[in-house]
């Protein structure tokens, strides 16, 4: 019986999933929002899921990470933007989609570390145009961010993170419980990432890779450390991998 795997819809991550779509004998891919995948994995409705770092961190004691593969970007990657309302002089409110927990944490860290700003977070789900009329700034992720990328009043948060840490940003990782996925299934998840060539990445996204190398692992650890330092996480999660 195929194992249930949770995936996200963002096009920058699709190269990681495309090879798995041909393996419906082994995997049933279930697409959902990042926070919903975390809930479904916690409730054991999924055998594995592509989780954002913060969603992994919240329940890290229950999980292991599939090594070698993930979605990672650096510098100007066009994946996460912070858009500003025109002519603002002070950033006091930031609209965020609660479904993107890691991106919210990234925005909070960048604004605090680089600009000394801690705006009030205002939840929003849809209607980006209306949101920018009501708040000072707006956090937008992935495909929705690309729709607005011609807007000049913005910063690329991955680029800002790189400027602060000189490290890439890890968007997501494969996560599962012990003894849920067998050795063959885990190796197929790894090979689906290692076989990606750069031309398969959507052209609109720059500087995106699918290798969870030592540099990316260092970035993941630093992200957790800074989230803890800023009082977002209650402890610094262990980065625990499956052993082969």
């Amino acid at each position: 019986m195929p194992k249930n795997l949770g995936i996200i819809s963002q096009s920058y991550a699709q190269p990681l999933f495309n090879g798995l779509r041909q393996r419906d004998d082994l995997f049933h891919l279930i697409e959902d929002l990042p926070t919903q995948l975390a809930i479904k994995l916690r409730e054991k409705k999924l055998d594995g899921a592509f989780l954002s770092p913060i969603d992994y961190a919240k329940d890290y004691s229950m999980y292991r990470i599939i090594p070698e593969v993930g979605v990672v970007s650096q510098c100007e990657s066009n994946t996460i933007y912070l858009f500003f309302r025109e002519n603002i002089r002070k950033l006091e409110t930031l609209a965020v989609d609660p479904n993107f927990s890691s991106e919210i944490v990234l925005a909070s860290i960048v604004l605090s570390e680089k600009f000394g700003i801690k705006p009030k977070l205002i939840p929003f789900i849809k209607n980006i145009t209306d949101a920018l009329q009501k708040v000072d700034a707006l956090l937008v992720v992935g495909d929705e961010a690309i729709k607005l990328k011609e807007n000049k009043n913005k910063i690329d948060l991955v680029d800002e993170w790189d400027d602060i840490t000189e490290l890439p940003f890890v968007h997501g990782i494969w996560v599962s419980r012990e003894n849920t996925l067998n050795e063959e299934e885990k190796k197929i998840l790894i090979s689906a990432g290692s076989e990606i060539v750069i031309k398969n990445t959507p052209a609109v996204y720059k500087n995106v890779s699918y290798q969870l190398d030592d540099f990316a692992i260092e970035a993941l650890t630093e992200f957790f450390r800074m989230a803890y330092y800023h009082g977002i996480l209650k402890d610094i999660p262990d980065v625990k991998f499956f052993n082969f």
Side-chain angles (χ1 to χ4, degrees), residues 39 76 91 93:
I39 292 170
E76 294 183 359
L91 201 164
T93 54

Side-chain angles (χ1 to χ4, degrees), residues 28 33 39 43 49 63 70 74 106 115 120 142 194:
H28 176 217
L33 294 164
I39 292 170
E43 295 177 347
Y63 302 139
Q74 192 164 15
L106 176 64
F115 304 104
K120 179 181 179 181
S194 62

Side-chain angles (χ1 to χ4, degrees), residues 9-214:
S9 64
Q10 302 300 330
S11 61
Y12 62 71
Q14 295 312 303
L16 194 62
F17 311 141
N18 288 338
L20 303 176
R21 299 184 194 280
Q22 314 304 317
R23 297 304 310 266
D24 55 4
D25 58 321
L26 291 178
F27 303 118
H28 176 217
L29 302 186
I30 299 171
E31 189 176 285
D32 211 332
L33 294 164
T35 53
Q36 292 303 308
L37 294 180
I39 292 170
K40 289 178 179 179
L41 186 62
R42 187 184 309 126
E43 295 177 347
K44 300 184 179 181
K45 295 177 180 178
L46 295 172
D47 299 297
F50 186 79
L51 293 190
S52 81
I54 293 299
D55 289 322
Y56 162 79
K58 290 176 180 177
D59 295 306
Y60 74 92
S61 63
M62 300 191 298
Y63 302 139
R64 295 290 185 274
I65 301 169
I66 305 291
E68 301 181 31
V69 62
V71 176
V72 183
S73 71
Q74 192 164 15
C75 303
E76 294 183 359
S77 65
N78 292 337
T79 55
I80 311 170
Y81 280 138
L82 203 62
F83 293 98
F84 302 98
R85 183 166 49 84
E86 288 189 20
N87 301 318
I88 66 164
R89 295 187 177 182
K90 188 175 182 181
L91 201 164
E92 296 181 336
T93 54
L94 170 62
V96 298
D97 184 336
N99 289 299
F100 294 96
S101 57
S102 288
E103 290 81 359
I104 294 171
V105 172
L106 176 64
S108 298
I109 290 173
V110 167
L111 289 174
S112 181
E113 287 280 325
K114 194 164 187 179
F115 304 104
I117 301 171
K118 294 185 178 181
K120 179 181 179 181
L121 301 182
I122 309 295
F124 92 102
I125 300 297
K126 296 295 182 183
N127 206 332
I128 291 173
T129 302
D130 285 350
L132 272 178
Q133 295 176 355
K134 299 175 182 178
V135 296
D136 299 322
L138 172 66
L139 175 66
V140 188
V141 179
D143 300 334
E144 290 298 320
I146 290 299
K147 294 176 183 177
L148 298 174
K149 75 183 186 70
E150 299 306 321
N151 187 325
K152 296 181 180 179
N153 298 315
K154 68 179 187 299
I155 58 174
D156 185 312
L157 286 178
V158 173
D159 190 39
E160 298 295 336
W161 167 259
D162 175 71
D163 189 50
I164 294 168
T165 65
E166 298 185 346
L167 292 168
F169 180 73
V170 178
H171 296 266
I173 48 181
W174 282 118
V175 171
S176 182
R177 289 180 171 81
E178 293 274 15
N179 305 316
T180 302
L181 300 176
N182 62 38
E183 296 297 300
E184 177 191 8
E185 291 161 345
K186 286 182 281 192
K187 288 179 180 178
I188 289 173
L189 292 183
I190 292 172
S191 65
S194 62
E195 293 169 1
I196 297 170
V197 294
I198 194 66
K199 68 180 181 181
N200 291 336
T201 305
V204 72
Y205 293 112
K206 301 183 293 182
N207 304 315
V208 177
S209 72
Y210 302 92
Q211 304 303 307
L212 199 65
D213 57 16
D214 290 343

